[in-house]
Amino acid sequence: MAPPTSNTPTDSTAENISKVFTKTDSLQLQLSLKEHYHNRVPHTEGRVGSLTAEQTTKLRNLWILLLAEFETNERIPVRYSLTQPAIASSDSTDDYETTGVTALSFEPLETLSTKDKQIKKPPGDEQAMAESTQKPKPSGSWLFQWSGSSSSTPAKSKSTTPAASETASIDESASVSESNTPATLTQSKQREEEFEDEATRRRRHETVQAYLERTQPDCRTIVPMEFKPLFGESLGERSFRSAFWQAATQIGDPDSWVLRFLRARKWDVDEALCMIRKTLVWRTGQAIDEVAYYGESALHHHTMDSGLAFACTRDNLGNPVYVVRVRVNFAQNRNIVAIKRFLCWQIETSQLLSGGEADGRVTILFDLAGFSRENIDLALVRTLITLLSNYYPETLGILILHVNSWVFSGIWSLISPFIDPVVKSKIVMARNAKEIAPFIEHDRLIAEIGGAKPFEYEYVLPSEQENRCMADSEARQTTENKFIDAVDRYEAATRKWLEDASSDDAVETRSRARASLNQAAIDLDPYIRSRTLYHRLGFIGTDHSVTF
């Protein structure tokens, strides 16, 4: 069934939504997408194995420029680091309106939530006010501390549901030890408000590591070693070369990663190089290698636990599908920095799920069932679009909007002007499982969206055992040396290929070097990336094979 348009008899909701799309550009591109999915034929134009002679020349020219950049040993500063918080405050005048994702500093989440409301404090009690605003004491590494364990909190605050259990204990102690005088009732209410605020703060700011430390007193840090950059780099900067190879080896073939930028810039070599440079500056500035290293331990626990977004299946072209459950997103349950950090981690992790035929592409299914005005989050949408458009080009396969709410038709008119035309061309709308079926067949679509796949999201907490190899410094160094050697051999093979692209020997040598580099990256991955939810669910194997 075709996506709803103004020419298709539909209900009023679909008609309102469809008016946003033009009848020429977007609809034509959507039909083209549908034809690809109907015939189960992936997009291959401009990709490894399907390059024209002209495109191959463009690729070779870009590699010439990249290799020249490597030799300059250009240094890129890290601006927002997990391990060096002072760097984050060195430039407080970031152009948020331009990038939309600048405030990704990895200091404790609460200190970064500049738009959060101040904690309520009982009037007329200066001591209580001082205690309720007291800064938390670090719990383990400063990296994972959460502003929720002040000295004013009783021992019973270890409960996973502090607001309910602690309030009950307060009422009980008040009735037993003292008469219910106005003074004691006022004190009890003040303490109740403080505990309610504690629960709110936990919900908004608590990381996965902090949650484990609070609920499992004997829990150790999920990541047993401090972060160490690749190539022997310092914590405060990376070279252009090291930043490139950290990014380009995630999906197996460096050519595939480079080609993304050529396609995104319509095969303009200089523009593609400029985009790669901006991406590497952004990745280094935001310390994306640290995002992967510390993983879920530094992510917002409530966002992970609620299942705001998760991968769970494949679409009809083999791309992994991420479901975004908009109905669970409430502003009072998170701060925007936590959401930005979460999105970056999910996109980085998606590259593990989208190797092989998917070529790094993913499908995003926005489930707007049960959507209300309380779930409106333009900052989240803009951040996601900015990431996909500017820093992860050609990563989005399609974006399916599962819409059955009239509210969204008005919201779409606010969002659409911010969407890159290329991204907009990949958006399709569907009102039910039948209309989703051309893109995700019924047996693959999860049950909560009307499909037959019996998948229910449940966040499986990480454990310290899953990352124990990270503590083996000797094994890490040996494996990293093999990776660096593989990079050197691939660069040498690429130079030989650039000298004579028609040489069968040069092509074969580069092919072998690519295979060796891919295996070296797989072997190194457990030392530089925390295991993920998708490893624990069995979706990602030790050999990077993916099974949903």
Side-chain angles (χ1 to χ4, degrees):
M1 184 174 181
T5 69
S6 57
N7 294 327
T8 304
T10 59
D11 59 23
S12 58
T13 299
E15 289 177 351
N16 288 335
I17 295 170
S18 65
K19 290 177 182 178
V20 181
F21 291 96
T22 63
K23 297 180 181 179
T24 54
D25 298 334
S26 184
L27 180 58
Q28 180 63 35
L29 287 167
Q30 286 186 38
L31 291 174
S32 176
L33 275 174
K34 188 172 181 179
E35 290 174 356
H36 275 277
Y37 275 87
H38 177 74
N39 297 315
R40 305 291 178 94
V41 177
H43 292 275
T44 58
E45 193 275 332
R47 292 169 172 82
V48 173
S50 302
L51 297 177
T52 65
E54 182 180 2
Q55 290 168 346
T56 300
T57 299
K58 299 282 190 180
L59 176 62
R60 295 177 71 249
N61 290 341
L62 183 51
W63 270 112
I64 291 172
L65 296 178
L66 287 169
L67 291 172
E69 291 288 340
F70 295 166
E71 294 177 355
T72 64
N73 197 31
E74 176 187 353
R75 314 305 295 178
I76 305 173
V78 176
R79 302 179 62 194
Y80 301 105
S81 170
L82 276 161
T83 52
Q84 296 191 55
I87 297 176
S89 59
S90 62
D91 184 2
S92 60
T93 58
D94 238 335
D95 188 1
Y96 173 83
E97 296 301 323
T98 300
T99 66
V101 290
T102 55
L104 279 177
S105 173
F106 290 90
E107 294 182 49
L109 288 176
E110 186 176 26
T111 66
L112 299 168
S113 186
T114 56
K115 295 183 180 180
D116 290 345
K117 295 181 180 179
Q118 295 294 323
I119 298 173
K120 298 178 182 178
K121 306 173 183 61
D125 189 341
E126 297 300 321
Q127 179 63 28
M129 291 175 67
E131 291 178 351
S132 66
T133 57
Q134 183 178 357
K135 285 292 183 179
K137 295 180 180 180
S139 177
S141 169
W142 77 268
L143 163 62
F144 302 114
Q145 63 181 299
W146 161 75
S147 306
S149 56
S150 68
S151 59
S152 63
T153 305
K156 289 185 179 181
S157 65
K158 293 288 185 181
S159 168
T160 56
T161 56
S165 62
E166 292 164 348
T167 300
S169 67
I170 292 168
D171 290 341
E172 291 169 3
S173 62
S175 63
V176 172
S177 61
E178 298 180 5
S179 60
N180 288 329
T181 63
T184 57
L185 289 175
T186 299
Q187 292 173 2
S188 177
K189 179 155 185 15
Q190 289 175 355
R191 294 177 68 188
E192 286 177 17
E193 289 180 351
E194 181 178 341
F195 283 121
E196 289 172 356
D197 289 332
E198 286 281 305
T200 300
R201 291 170 70 190
R202 285 177 179 152
R203 188 171 61 249
R204 290 174 65 82
H205 311 296
E206 189 172 43
T207 64
V208 171
Q209 177 68 48
Y211 173 83
L212 286 170
E213 290 179 355
R214 178 171 61 85
T215 59
Q216 302 177 19
D218 59 343
C219 175
R220 299 180 182 178
T221 56
I222 302 168
V223 181
M225 293 287 287
E226 294 296 328
F227 172 73
K228 177 184 176 183
L230 289 175
F231 293 91
E233 299 277 13
S234 66
L235 290 174
E237 63 180 11
R238 312 282 189 269
S239 69
F240 182 95
R241 179 174 181 258
S242 67
F244 175 89
W245 287 115
Q246 191 275 334
T249 53
Q250 293 189 94
I251 59 174
D253 190 341
D255 278 349
S256 295
W257 194 79
V258 171
L259 285 168
R260 290 179 176 185
F261 296 88
L262 280 170
R263 295 195 301 271
R265 288 298 174 257
K266 303 185 185 304
W267 301 94
D268 185 311
V269 174
D270 292 331
E271 287 295 321
L273 177 63
C274 181
M275 190 178 190
I276 289 175
R277 175 182 295 281
K278 289 181 179 179
T279 296
L280 296 182
V281 168
W282 175 81
R283 290 179 63 89
T284 301
Q286 302 292 347
I288 298 301
D289 48 0
E290 294 186 35
V291 177
Y293 186 83
Y294 289 107
E296 294 166 42
S297 64
L299 295 183
H300 185 214
H301 173 260
H302 181 80
T303 300
M304 294 296 298
D305 191 57
S306 65
L308 173 62
F310 54 88
C312 56
T313 189
R314 290 192 183 278
D315 68 13
N316 294 347
L317 295 185
N319 301 329
V321 175
Y322 274 79
V323 174
V324 180
R325 300 193 294 186
V326 180
R327 65 183 177 275
V328 307
N329 182 56
F330 294 92
Q332 66 267 28
N333 291 338
R334 58 98 182 117
N335 64 64
I336 189 59
V337 175
I339 290 296
K340 293 174 182 177
R341 190 185 302 181
F342 170 77
L343 290 176
C344 284
W345 176 83
Q346 284 283 16
I347 297 176
E348 282 291 299
T349 305
S350 75
Q351 302 306 283
L352 295 179
L353 297 168
S354 58
E357 294 181 0
D359 193 31
R361 294 185 298 277
V362 300
T363 287
I364 301 177
L365 196 167
F366 269 82
D367 182 16
L368 293 153
F371 172 81
S372 68
R373 293 187 183 277
E374 292 181 321
N375 305 124
I376 296 173
D377 197 335
L378 297 182
L380 185 154
V381 174
R382 187 175 66 169
T383 297
L384 179 61
I385 292 171
T386 300
L387 288 170
L388 293 174
S389 300
N390 295 351
Y391 308 120
Y392 296 92
E394 295 290 308
T395 296
L396 179 65
I398 58 170
L399 193 155
I400 304 171
L401 298 176
H402 177 220
V403 183
N404 62 3
S405 170
W406 64 270
V407 176
F408 184 74
S409 58
I411 302 304
W412 177 252
S413 62
L414 298 176
I415 297 174
S416 57
F418 297 102
I419 302 179
D420 180 85
V422 175
V423 174
K424 188 181 292 187
S425 73
K426 299 177 180 180
I427 296 176
V428 295
M429 300 231 182
R431 292 166 295 167
N432 49 49
K434 183 178 179 181
E435 294 185 3
I436 295 175
F439 309 98
I440 308 171
E441 62 186 20
H442 187 71
D443 290 342
R444 293 180 176 180
L445 186 65
I446 60 176
E448 69 176 71
I449 306 179
K453 184 178 177 64
F455 177 86
E456 294 184 8
Y457 179 84
E458 179 181 359
Y459 181 50
V460 180
L461 287 163
S463 67
E464 57 185 290
Q465 290 78 19
E466 67 188 28
N467 295 314
R468 59 184 179 274
C469 71
M470 288 178 138
D472 191 339
S473 300
E474 184 177 347
R476 148 78 188 251
Q477 191 59 58
T478 299
T479 308
E480 182 178 344
N481 289 341
K482 292 180 180 178
F483 173 78
I484 294 174
D485 180 64
V487 168
D488 291 340
R489 284 187 281 113
Y490 185 81
E491 288 183 1
T494 298
R495 289 187 173 89
K496 185 177 180 180
W497 171 66
L498 292 174
E499 293 172 359
D500 187 2
S502 62
S503 169
D504 292 340
D505 180 62
V507 172
E508 179 60 27
T509 299
R510 191 167 186 259
S511 179
R512 290 195 302 269
R514 180 189 304 115
S516 297
L517 177 58
N518 182 41
Q519 186 59 53
I522 292 174
D523 294 341
L524 181 62
D525 191 72
Y527 297 97
I528 63 173
R529 185 199 307 267
S530 296
R531 300 302 83 184
T532 70
L533 171 65
Y534 306 116
H535 290 89
R536 296 191 289 280
L537 293 177
F539 293 168
I540 303 175
T542 56
D543 60 350
H544 280 207
S545 60
V546 178
T547 304
F548 286 107

